[in-house]
Amino acid sequence: MKILVVEDNVKLAEELVKLLNQEGYVTESVNNVSSGIDKVGVYQYQLMILDLNLPDGSGLKILKNVRETDSDIGVLIVTARDNVDDKITGLNLGADDYVTKPFHKAELLARVKSIIRRRKSGGSNTISVNDIIIDTMSADVRVNSNIVNLTKKEFDLLLYFVYNKNRVVTKESIAEHLWGDDIDQSDSFDFIYNHIKNLRKKISKAGGKNSIQSIYGMGYKLSEI
């Protein structure tokens, strides 16, 4: 499995290459639009991690180029947290998913694996963990065939646990993922506990097992049962 990282932040690019290589992927990196277009035109990659803010233009140019050539490469967009228009444009051009900066490496890695899994399964957007089935496109959540009605924050929280299954996630990382920079305005993490309590309650009410565990002094973990 070969991955191309297009990122002009040298330190971040090096960290991503190291992370992905440790997972068994063959990973290369470039730092601008022209090099990215050259690379995907000559070599075959299964996935591209694409930063949109590059020194010689927008990474969307690379995305448009690969889709016009009917390339089957999976594309994970990396974009600024508040750049909604670029996210929408990227998805409309054929990107598979996006992650916003700053991001946790575990989340990026989970999204990489999810894209690869979906492409191998013919484009399925369904993720299953234990008795929970999630459709990431329709935001439909089912437990034992029962529909679970979640708020936007609860859905995002559940996805974050699923993307980091079997990993301990801290309250700080959850807060940063769900609220971004706005978390600085809060003086406690009580709201996280309330969201997790409600999420557990809704899953249990639908007949699901409580697989979101509290890890004392560390955070929370969704474990595969």
Side-chain angles (χ1 to χ4, degrees), residues 140-194:
D140 181 68
V141 177
R142 295 175 182 269
V143 173
N144 295 324
S145 299
N146 298 312
I147 294 178
V148 182
N149 293 314
L150 301 178
T151 66
K152 177 64 167 58
K153 290 298 185 189
E154 290 166 355
F155 180 79
D156 289 344
L157 177 61
L158 177 60
L159 266 186
Y160 188 64
F161 278 126
V162 170
Y163 284 140
N164 292 280
K165 63 183 178 182
N166 298 319
R167 295 175 182 265
V168 176
V169 292
T170 65
K171 293 179 180 178
E172 291 81 3
S173 67
I174 294 172
E176 182 182 323
H177 176 73
L178 294 181
W179 281 272
D181 296 336
D182 294 338
I183 190 56
D184 294 336
Q185 303 172 13
S186 175
D187 57 1
S188 76
F189 293 110
D190 290 344
F191 56 88
I192 294 177
Y193 170 75
N194 290 330

Side-chain angles (χ1 to χ4, degrees), residues 53-65:
N53 298 312
L54 298 170
D56 58 341
S58 171
L60 292 173
K61 293 180 181 179
I62 306 176
L63 174 58
K64 186 176 181 181
N65 178 270

